[in-house]
Amino acid sequence: MKNRLHAKPLVGIILATAMWGFGGLAAAADPPLPSLAVLGFELVDDHPDPARDEVLRGRLAAIAKQLKQGLDQRGLYRVVDTAAAEDLIATQRARNEFLYRCNDCLVEVGQRLGTRLVAVGWVQRVSELILNINVSVQDSQTGAEILSKSVDLRGNTDETWKRGVNFMLRDWAERRARNPRYGQ
């Protein structure tokens, strides 16, 4: 009888250790995160206002940083550094009005960076009150768009832009949780 009492805790320890070990194997079997190059955001302004250019450029840079950090922190992608292709990106921007309209440009950038997925974003400013933030993820091997996301804003402030990107990231993560291939 005494041996049976000592056996129960030992069996529990063995089972817990085995489950922990199998959990580690399952985690190791998870596929690696896809890599993604985020080329930043461009402004499509239906009513240009040179007096606001500096403010808008600052917001574009801020939401590009927010998007990169959010995609990385949520474990949606391994966001790659684009420094190795900055010259090519600048050349493509000089040749084309907008990168999001130039699929072949993104193919070359993705190849230079060694990543299959390339994202480019743009903010369309219809008026001071109506804007939308858009992101397109394209396959640099085929040039095909594999994901397009958009969120509408009402108001042109730092806060509305930030909330728009937060909403986009949350939606992206929720959809990926339901479909692990979403955006890949």
Side-chain angles (χ1 to χ4, degrees):
M1 191 73 162
K2 196 173 190 180
N3 288 340
R4 284 183 136 178
L5 292 176
H6 291 314
K8 285 184 181 182
L10 184 58
V11 168
I13 291 171
I14 292 170
L15 285 173
T17 303
M19 290 175 66
W20 177 78
F22 287 127
L25 289 175
D30 285 343
L33 288 177
S35 61
L36 174 72
V38 178
L39 306 187
F41 283 86
E42 301 168 319
L43 181 65
V44 179
D45 199 343
D46 292 350
H47 303 283
D49 179 1
R52 300 192 47 79
D53 281 353
E54 188 175 330
V55 170
L56 295 174
R57 275 195 306 273
R59 287 183 186 150
L60 292 169
I63 65 171
K65 181 179 178 181
Q66 179 186 358
L67 181 70
K68 290 176 187 179
Q69 288 175 341
L71 292 170
D72 189 57
Q73 289 170 351
R74 286 172 170 80
L76 298 171
Y77 299 95
R78 183 179 54 81
V79 178
V80 300
D81 184 9
T82 59
E86 286 303 323
D87 61 329
L88 177 58
I89 295 166
T91 299
Q92 296 294 8
R93 280 204 167 110
R95 285 186 195 151
N96 302 282
E97 185 179 8
F98 298 107
L99 288 181
Y100 76 90
R101 291 183 183 162
C102 179
N103 294 347
D104 294 342
C105 310
L106 303 182
V107 168
E108 194 174 348
V109 170
Q111 290 170 350
R112 167 90 62 94
L113 294 171
T115 183
R116 184 178 65 85
L117 302 176
V118 179
V120 63
W122 67 99
V123 175
Q124 182 177 11
R125 182 177 168 269
V126 178
S127 72
E128 195 59 24
L129 294 175
I130 302 170
L131 300 96
N132 59 49
I133 299 174
N134 307 278
V135 174
S136 174
V137 176
Q138 297 182 8
D139 185 320
S140 70
Q141 294 171 350
T142 65
E145 182 177 65
I146 61 168
L147 179 68
S148 178
K149 299 203 65 66
S150 183
V151 63
D152 292 338
L153 307 179
R154 294 300 173 258
N156 187 8
T157 66
D158 293 345
E159 185 62 28
T160 58
W161 287 44
K162 182 179 178 180
R163 277 187 289 168
V165 173
N166 280 336
F167 176 82
M168 186 179 286
L169 287 165
R170 186 180 72 228
D171 180 69
W172 207 324
E174 288 171 359
R175 289 175 187 261
R176 176 73 66 83
R178 290 190 303 268
N179 175 5
R181 299 290 302 151
Y182 182 78
Q184 296 186 35

